[in-house]
Amino acid sequence: MITFVWLIPALPLLGFLLILLFGRKLGEPRAGYLASSMCGAAFLVAVGVFIDLLSKGGDDRQHVVKVWTWLPVGSLHVDLAFLADPLSITMCLFVTGVGTLIHLYSIGYMHGDPNFSKFFLYLNLFILSMVVLVLGENLVVTFVGWEGVGTCSYLLVAFWHDREFAAVAGKKAFVTNRVGDWGFMIAMFLAFQATGTLSYLGINHLAESHSIVRSTATGIAMMLFIGACGKSAQLPLYIWLPDAMAGPTPVSALIHAATMVTAGVFLMVRMSPVLHEAYTWAPMIIAIVGAATALFAATIALAQNDIKRVLAYSTVSQLGYMFLAVGSGAYVAAIFHMITHAFFKALLFLGSGSVIHGMHDEQDMRKMGALRKLMPITAATFIVGWLAIAGVPPFSGFWSKDEILLYALAKYPPLYVIGLITAILTAYYMTRQVILVFYGKAKWEDAHEEHGAHGDMRPHESPPLMVLPLVALAGLAIIAGVIQLPFNHNTQFLEKWLAPATEFAQRNIGHSWADDNKYVLMAIAIVASLAGIYVAVVVYGKHKVKAVEPEILAEGWYYDQAVSAFMGGPGRAGFDGVAWADSHIIDGAVNGAGEIVREAATGGRTVQSGNMRNYAAALGVGVVVLLGWFVIVRGVV
Amino acid sequence: MDFPILTAIIATPAAGAVLVLLLSNRRPEWVRLITLFTGVVTAGLTIWTLVAFKTSDGDFQFTSMHPWISAWGISWHLGIDGISLFLVVLSAVLFPLVLAGVDPHHDHKRYYAWMLLLEAGLLGAFLSLDLFLFFVFFEIVLVPMYFLIGGWGYDNRVYAATKFFVFTMFGSAFMLVATIATAFLAKSNGVGHVTFDLVEISQKANFAAGTGRWLFFAFAIAFAVKVPLFPLHTWLPDAHTQAPTGGSVILASVMLKLGTYGLLRFGVFLFPEAARWGKPLLVTLAVIGILWGAIAATMQKDLKRLVAYSSVAHLGFIVLGVFAITQQSITGGVLQMINHGVSTGALFLLVGMIYERRHTREIAKLRGIQKVAPVFAAAFMIVMLSSIGVPGLNGFVGEYLILIGSFLTTRWWVVAGTAGVILAALYLLWAYQRVFHGEPDEDNKSFAELKWKEGALLLPFIAAIVFCGVYPKPMLDRIEPSVNALIEHVHDKTGYTPPEPVVVHVAGATG
């Protein structure tokens, strides 16, 4: 089965091509089913490869399948090849698995859209790019997927391209990501110069045998991190993600929560031996950026009123946790949280999509309320997602967040505190969201009365095709914790499974005092999350304390505005300056020279003279002078 | 080789041009038929050459050599290697496509004749292995392009054509002098007799550093104008904007490559020592060009000017690769000459189609086109992504090889130049957003969808964009041996060996 790993990208590619050729003929809903089945088939192949890998011993769990030689020039040799190992297959499983559920959901969500089949065309292309990203045998193939998911994100955010905001958001996402891609590219150049290869196994092998100079390893790691900051929406490059919510909600769930945005974390884990070889300040910077982003985004989420923007900032914040884990050397914890986050955040996004659908495209939480009675399944599953992200045991988010915090405490105690504060805030803003949307007074009734005559404006539960994925994801969000339970080594399945990819960088961490006190830490984490929930209930549920939602948080600390102001102001002025200099100074000099020739010739002309002649004459003189110079001065005969 | 295939490749379009001129004005269908016939035959000949080309041979192939002016050692010396192979194929395939697909609207006969003469000149320049012969073809190219811009261009065509002509002539003056000086100086520097033969001079001549550098400098100016290299680029936006669509396509796709090809063949190959001496200046100008061109492109209000400035940026990458002198960078540079030709050619065709429909190229007047013409928008999108350098499409492959190769010798220039990749996304996506996204206004509501004929014209471009991006190996296999031969030559003359990566990868870690 493992030799068929190429089928995982080939199937969505086939779906893409079929919809490209016959999309219009297929139409709704067949194009959707075709795309979903391709994604589902890729998932089944991934399961097959997974089982195959399980049956092998630890060292045999890395298998390279070469498709063809891509860039062979001199000592540079890049294959289009896939690496099937525990890390890539784990990623494939949840990418295609969650992807299939979101494909199915989209059939319901995109119902009636005039570009129905185009949506699925892009979705399949996205899945293709994403699995190429994770399966890449070398940095370049990963970069193909990396840019591919960026392009699909651009196409899907701007899917409703006649809306100005969506079009701008799509462009912003792509360009901001490209800033990160610059770092990724420089990292590849450095890696090639230092190792002569771009293959993961080759580079990591050299790193593990300490053959990469420390400063070079640091350079590679930091440049990759710049790339990761772009793709995974970390400070200071996160600004594109909240705006990317302009895309259809399944896109937000699939790309901007579960899969694409985790690519940066994946890349850092994939290259963990190099990061391990870097100066110790390199992972520290990663941990600091991660913790800072986690806290920063969580504070912004406190005051958002758009149901999707809360989740967007929450995603940025949770990704921050994953980078905190990477920086703390807890690579398994990073992947663990990535998986649980994929389940519960996809669930929350799809739930919010269901709410938006049921509310007839209303996204303002202030106009919702009491929806649990009208949308029982959506509400129930959303509540599961809420408990998971808030860190309430035994839901999955608790376990993965707890593990990250444990490692953070062992390595950087101050960052543990930040992580804990973020956990409180997370529980708080998510509780706020659940109360505003599903509990309290039904604020949509006022709007309903205004619209009275328009028939059925009452919120309603979504069709089965949309509800089913919610239930499946809710199940996963509940139980996913079992893959890595902290009780003893035997319950840490994920850690053992990922060992080929993470063992080297993680084994040096060893046993810490935080480990010895893990049950105390667990208790602290539980108290933190319950405290957050309690306060939110007091504020938003019982209205005993007035809600504090300062303008500065609602506006995201004005960071986005500052960036826009800079780009629109000095940035644009600088660009204008270049354009002006080009036409006035550089071209001005040219025209000035032409003018002088013209003037001179006009003065001296006797019979008649077109411009061309003058120029030709000047050229003739020039040729003679130069020839003379060569003959006389340089002695050419 | 019995049949002089390369001579035939040049002679066919030249003969076609004469034949077209001889035909009566009253038989337009014959004019068109003969034009297309010669175009297709020439393309067929080059494709035959491509098929018969010996892949792993880095030398000149299909050479043909006939004395022309024996007293001065000038000969009709043609040859093709991996560096010129795809430029020749690209030119010959592009011409019939453009001739069939783009309507000049008036004076068809003269237009076709000029185009065919232009084709003969371009192919001749790429195939010449004689300095004098090259100069003749290099100059022949100017004339038809001048008349094409002046005769079939837009409002400001006379200014643009004159500017184009004067700029290039300015460079050519340097080249003429340098050509003659090279031939005569070579005599006393190792060759022993006066010859204009490129191969002979490059093999036998050993110029003193001072002499070689001056000669190189003179050639470099001529080619830098053609590329165009910053700050000699300002003729390009005017020439492109005012040229008819067919002229723009040829100008961008093929003619600019005369500059980069010349820098490689008559710079690095002929004066290796001087090329290494000139490297700091040239790579600096190249990187400035990458950033400057991209920034200037961002602020353009006219779509065609935007694409023109993007060419300045893209050609900057190629010059960077040429003078970084590593296997990857030069191979990437050669490949990128083709890739840029394909993508920018297609972009100009698309902009031309927009102009045909709306009679404007002003970005501010276009809006919401994707809504009324989704297929047209999709075609533009693919070509645009190729130009941005999205991997999987052709633009990435060349750019990547250039950058990774150049990084070995000019690290900090690459760090700066790679930022051009960010800017490329900025100027193209911003333009796309303003032109294609949004709600179409009254003027753009009736924007016609892509026609079958237009689609058929674009299809070969898109096919090439995808193929070269996904499977560039056939091209690399043919380009690389010649690049290796070139680097070997540089090594023989100067003792220079391009740096290799530090640790060579030991295979075996893979399972």
Side-chain angles (χ1 to χ4, degrees), chain A residues 74 162 178 193 195 582 587, chain B residues 163 233 292 309 371 421 503:
Chain A
D162 47 354
R178 273 257 155 162
Q193 190 177 26
T195 68
D582 193 75
D587 203 31
Chain B
K163 194 168 175 180
H233 63 275
W292 186 274
Y309 274 102
K371 193 154 191 181
V421 171
V503 186

Side-chain angles (χ1 to χ4, degrees), chain A residues 247-271:
Chain A
T249 303
V251 171
S252 313
L254 178 63
I255 302 183
H256 305 116
T259 57
M260 181 185 87
V261 289
T262 63
V265 182
F266 161 77
L267 184 67
M268 300 314 291
V269 175
R270 183 51 105 195
M271 295 286 282

Side-chain angles (χ1 to χ4, degrees), chain A residues 3 58 64 92 175 180 197 243 346 352 374 496 530 543 552:
Chain A
T3 45
V64 174
C92 276
V175 175
T197 179
D243 286 5
S352 80
L374 296 165
K496 277 185 280 180
L530 291 180
H543 299 288
I552 188 167

Side-chain angles (χ1 to χ4, degrees), chain A residues 88-214:
Chain A
S88 64
I89 294 304
T90 306
M91 298 290 294
C92 276
L93 281 173
F94 87 76
V95 166
T96 52
V98 173
T100 307
L101 292 174
I102 294 176
H103 269 76
L104 288 171
Y105 177 92
S106 304
I107 298 173
Y109 192 86
M110 296 307 285
H111 170 69
D113 193 286
N115 291 313
F116 184 86
S117 28
K118 194 189 253 176
F119 183 80
F120 286 93
L121 178 80
Y122 293 160
L123 274 197
N124 261 199
L125 184 63
F126 172 79
I127 296 289
L128 164 68
S129 308
M130 191 67 206
V131 294
V132 166
L133 191 163
V134 299
L135 280 173
E137 179 267 344
N138 54 61
L139 283 162
V140 195
V141 174
T142 291
F143 192 67
V144 174
W146 186 273
E147 291 274 286
V149 290
T151 306
C152 294
S153 162
Y154 164 71
L155 293 169
L156 284 163
V157 170
F159 187 74
W160 289 314
H161 53 79
D162 47 354
R163 301 180 188 171
E164 192 73 29
F165 183 74
V168 175
K171 179 196 68 187
K172 183 173 175 180
F174 197 102
V175 175
T176 317
N177 266 293
R178 273 257 155 162
V179 177
D181 297 347
W182 171 84
F184 195 148
M185 289 184 83
I186 305 290
M188 284 193 276
F189 304 156
L190 262 173
F192 174 64
Q193 190 177 26
T195 68
T197 179
L198 289 163
S199 105
Y200 288 120
L201 295 178
I203 297 173
N204 286 340
H205 181 68
L206 289 169
E208 287 168 15
S209 56
H210 313 292
S211 309
I212 301 179
V213 184
R214 197 149 273 250

Side-chain angles (χ1 to χ4, degrees), chain A residues 20 24 59 62-64 68-78 80 115 118 122 137 139-140 143-148 151 154-155 158-164 166-172 174-176 178-183 185-186 188-199 201-203 205-206 211-213 216 223 571-583 586-588 590-591 598 611-612 615-616 619-620 622-624 626-627 629-630 634-637, chain B residues 146 159 162-163 165-167 169-171 173-174 176-178 180-181 184-185 187 194 210-211 214-215 218 230-235 237-238 291-292 294-296 298-301 305 309 327-328 331 367 370-371 374-375 381 384-385 388-392 396-397 399-401 403-405 407-409 411 414-426 429-430 432-433 436-440 449 468-473 476-477 480 484 500-506 509-511:
Chain A
L20 184 69
R24 280 189 191 176
D59 289 341
Q62 293 179 324
H63 189 83
V64 174
W68 61 67
T69 303
W70 188 31
L71 300 174
V73 182
S75 47
L76 175 74
H77 190 94
V78 178
L80 182 62
N115 291 313
K118 194 189 253 176
Y122 293 160
E137 179 267 344
L139 283 162
V140 195
F143 192 67
V144 174
W146 186 273
E147 291 274 286
T151 306
Y154 164 71
L155 293 169
F159 187 74
W160 289 314
H161 53 79
D162 47 354
R163 301 180 188 171
E164 192 73 29
V168 175
K171 179 196 68 187
K172 183 173 175 180
F174 197 102
V175 175
T176 317
R178 273 257 155 162
V179 177
D181 297 347
W182 171 84
M185 289 184 83
I186 305 290
M188 284 193 276
F189 304 156
L190 262 173
F192 174 64
Q193 190 177 26
T195 68
T197 179
L198 289 163
S199 105
L201 295 178
I203 297 173
H205 181 68
L206 289 169
S211 309
I212 301 179
V213 184
T216 308
M223 283 298 164
R572 186 164 182 155
F575 273 43
D576 271 330
V578 167
W580 183 89
D582 193 75
S583 58
I586 297 181
D587 203 31
V590 171
N591 286 332
R598 194 199 308 257
N611 283 331
M612 290 308 306
Y615 290 127
L619 283 166
V623 170
V624 170
L626 274 164
L627 267 177
W629 182 81
F630 268 106
R634 306 219 48 95
V636 185
V637 179
Chain B
Y146 172 79
Y159 168 75
T162 310
K163 194 168 175 180
F165 198 85
V166 171
F167 249 102
M169 280 305 282
F170 165 77
F174 281 91
L176 176 60
V177 174
I180 296 169
F184 283 87
L185 280 171
K187 182 187 169 190
V194 174
T211 317
W214 275 110
L215 294 173
F230 178 90
L232 300 170
H233 63 275
T234 55
W235 64 269
D238 286 313
L291 302 175
W292 186 274
I295 293 174
T298 313
M299 304 318 292
Q300 295 308 312
K301 296 176 176 70
R305 280 188 88 85
Y309 274 102
Q327 271 174 309
Q328 293 84 18
T331 307
R367 207 178 141 67
Q370 187 171 348
K371 193 154 191 181
V375 180
M381 172 69 74
M384 175 180 82
L385 292 176
I388 290 176
V390 170
F396 170 76
V397 177
E399 244 172 49
Y400 188 80
L401 288 174
L403 291 170
I404 201 165
F407 193 79
L408 297 171
T409 57
R411 174 184 288 196
V414 171
V415 170
T418 308
V421 171
I422 306 173
L423 294 169
L426 180 64
L429 291 188
W430 193 30
Y432 187 90
Q433 177 210 324
F436 288 92
H437 285 161
E439 195 68 50
E449 183 55 293
C468 300
V470 175
Y471 192 55
K473 191 168 175 288
L476 293 172
D477 284 347
E480 200 194 343
N484 288 345
E500 285 285 317
V502 180
V503 186
V504 175
H505 169 52
V506 201
T510 58

